[in-house]
């Protein structure tokens, strides 16, 4: 029997590519340059399945031009905001994602950003690195203490809960806002808020862990930053679209926020050069899930979903 033809749009981990090549007739983008919309449309006529990353956009316009041969998009990401799920469902194309396997790695980066922003990692590193460290005093490089402080989490899904676990290790008091309240077993003592109005005043630190949807786009704006305590710290490892970046910049400039730690931006790749002018922003290039172990796990999970689909079963991570 012929193997299904699978297009892998980016360079996945070696282990994931090796497994894919055994089980599928693969077309692999070894050069790893992001495909254009025209390439995506053209490739859909040649393959039964696509294994893309969040860097490939399946908006309505693209989706409507996809060839009927394409049956499934097995994403190598937990976020699916790059996919118009309604348009893909109308086309009869199934869509899966890779939840669970990247939660710990992403929460690790959130922890790094929270600590780095609070303890002025960017400024401190620059001083030492550039040979500009010429003084020391008790008033030098004073930051915000994380341990024992209050952490607010927006979105208490798998990544949010992994971040809450990290925070408990620092003896932080965890508060959260979620669509619905979690069971006591999942809450692990975290304090539920049924509105952002209630959550934000209790956040010495705030970390975003919710998906980008039409409802959550721009949820962190000037009015929301103003509800946080003065000199609080903001962390985003979820999606840039959740934040009105000009409002975040203004809040960092006027001292409403002490610092921010950002792994996600409205424009990716590239980010927002205005953030680079601010010493109180600790930034990374969307690498929340970028560890060797997690990359293998993401690739395998996407392939598990494809294997189930082509075996006539329902993939475990079906989102459309
Ligand atoms: C995800 O899985 O959504 C991460 O942002 C990496 O793509």
């Amino acid at each position: 029997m012929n193997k299904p033809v699978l297009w892998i749009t980016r360079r996945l981990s070696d282990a994931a590519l090796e497994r894919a090549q055994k089980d599928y007739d693969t077309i692999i983008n070894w050069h790893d340059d992001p495909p254009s919309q025209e390439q995506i449309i053209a490739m859909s006529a040649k393959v039964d399945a696509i294994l893309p990353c969040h860097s490939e956009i399946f908006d309505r316009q693209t989706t409507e031009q996809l060839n009927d041969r394409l049956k499934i998009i097995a994403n190598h990401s937990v976020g699916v905001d790059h996919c118009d799920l309604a348009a893909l469902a109308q086309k009869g194309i199934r869509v899966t994602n890779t939840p669970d396997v990247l939660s710990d790695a992403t929460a690790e980066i959130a922890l790094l950003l929270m600590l780095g922003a609070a303890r002025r990692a960017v400024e401190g590193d620059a001083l030492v690195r550039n040979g500009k460290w010429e003084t020391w005093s008790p008033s030098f490089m004073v930051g915000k203490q994380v341990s024992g402080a209050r952490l607010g989490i927006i979105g208490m899904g798998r990544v949010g809960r992994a971040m809450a676990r990290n925070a408990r290790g620092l003896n932080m008091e965890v508060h959260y806002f979620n669509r619905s309240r979690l069971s006591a077993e999942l809450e692990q003592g975290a304090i539920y808020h049924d509105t952002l109005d209630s959550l934000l005043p209790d956040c010495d630190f705030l970390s975003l862990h919710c998906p980008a949807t039409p409802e959550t786009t721009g949820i962190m704006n000037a009015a929301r930053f103003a509800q946080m305590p003065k000199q609080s710290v903001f962390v985003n490892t979820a999606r840039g679209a959740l934040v009105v970046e000009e409002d975040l910049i203004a809040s960092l400039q006027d001292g409403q926020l002490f610092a921010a730690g950002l792994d996600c931006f409205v424009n990716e790749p590239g980010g927002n050069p205005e953030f680079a002018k601010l010493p109180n922003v600790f930034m990374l290039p969307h690498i929340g899930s970028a560890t060797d172990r997690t990359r293998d796990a993401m690739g395998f999970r996407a392939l598990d979903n494809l294997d189930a689909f082509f075996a006539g079963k329902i993939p475990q991570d079906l989102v459309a």
Side-chain angles (χ1 to χ4, degrees), residues 2-307:
N2 287 344
K3 292 177 184 173
V5 181
L6 168 64
W7 178 35
I8 301 180
T9 62
R10 305 301 299 269
R11 179 88 197 230
L12 306 185
S13 77
D14 290 345
L17 289 177
E18 199 179 310
R19 175 173 149 186
Q21 286 171 288
K22 265 194 221 125
D23 299 335
Y24 295 89
D25 185 356
T26 50
I27 303 171
I28 298 173
N29 176 8
W30 294 105
H31 297 298
D32 205 21
D33 39 358
S36 65
Q37 297 313 109
E38 291 71 32
Q39 274 174 293
I40 292 174
I41 293 162
M43 285 300 283
S44 70
K46 300 183 186 157
V47 301
D48 305 300
I50 301 182
L51 197 165
C53 297
H54 78 271
S55 47
E56 282 69 75
I57 309 297
F58 293 89
D59 54 13
R60 179 168 286 277
Q61 207 190 346
T62 303
T63 298
E64 284 173 351
Q65 298 175 72
L66 294 175
N67 192 280
D68 288 344
R69 173 163 181 185
L70 177 66
K71 297 290 177 291
I72 179 167
I73 294 173
N75 283 297
H76 182 277
S77 67
V78 64
V80 288
D81 47 303
H82 57 291
C83 295
D84 187 323
L85 296 181
L88 287 158
Q90 274 165 22
K91 266 307 250 191
I93 297 171
R94 309 322 297 265
V95 182
T96 60
N97 69 344
T98 56
D100 296 322
V101 291
L102 45 68
S103 306
D104 287 344
T106 306
E108 245 172 54
I109 284 286
L111 181 65
L112 171 69
L113 289 170
M114 179 170 72
L115 290 166
R119 301 303 300 272
R120 304 175 64 170
V122 171
E123 289 167 88
D125 180 83
L127 277 180
V128 184
R129 189 178 298 273
N130 299 322
K132 298 257 168 63
W133 178 26
E134 285 155 1
T135 184
W136 187 92
S137 104
S139 60
F140 174 62
M141 290 282 306
V142 174
K144 296 288 175 197
Q145 183 140 346
V146 175
S147 50
R150 297 169 299 174
L151 169 67
I153 292 178
I154 299 182
M156 200 65 154
R158 301 167 187 90
V159 185
R161 296 201 300 275
M163 181 59 174
R165 260 198 312 279
N166 291 340
R168 284 198 297 277
L170 285 161
N171 200 25
M172 297 183 88
E173 182 178 282
V174 180
H175 295 247
Y176 74 100
F177 168 75
N178 199 47
R179 271 175 309 185
S180 53
R181 186 170 180 171
L182 303 184
S183 65
E185 195 193 341
L186 291 179
E187 257 181 4
Q188 292 286 315
I191 299 158
Y192 178 60
H193 295 257
D194 59 1
T195 61
L196 287 180
D197 292 337
S198 160
L199 174 79
L200 294 175
D202 285 346
C203 300
D204 303 315
F205 294 83
L206 176 69
S207 190
L208 302 189
H209 297 288
C210 57
T213 63
E215 294 74 43
T216 59
T217 296
I219 45 163
M220 287 312 296
N221 56 26
R224 293 297 184 197
F225 288 122
Q227 287 180 296
M228 295 172 66
K230 194 146 179 79
Q231 294 271 286
S232 46
V233 173
F234 174 71
V235 174
N236 186 11
T237 54
R239 282 293 183 266
L242 301 171
V243 178
V244 179
E245 288 186 341
E246 309 81 72
D247 294 356
L248 173 57
I249 289 165
S251 304
L252 287 160
Q253 281 170 332
D254 69 16
Q256 170 57 20
L257 293 179
F258 178 75
L262 307 174
D263 187 46
C264 295
F265 303 87
V266 171
N267 291 315
E268 294 186 12
N272 183 337
E274 291 305 308
F275 286 126
K277 298 179 184 160
L278 304 176
N280 52 347
V281 182
F282 181 17
M283 293 185 282
L284 295 171
H286 199 143
I287 54 166
S289 54
T291 70
D292 44 10
R293 198 194 319 157
T294 292
R295 286 288 182 249
D296 281 350
M298 291 170 77
F300 295 158
R301 186 87 173 215
L303 290 168
D304 290 346
N305 286 319
L306 284 172
D307 292 352

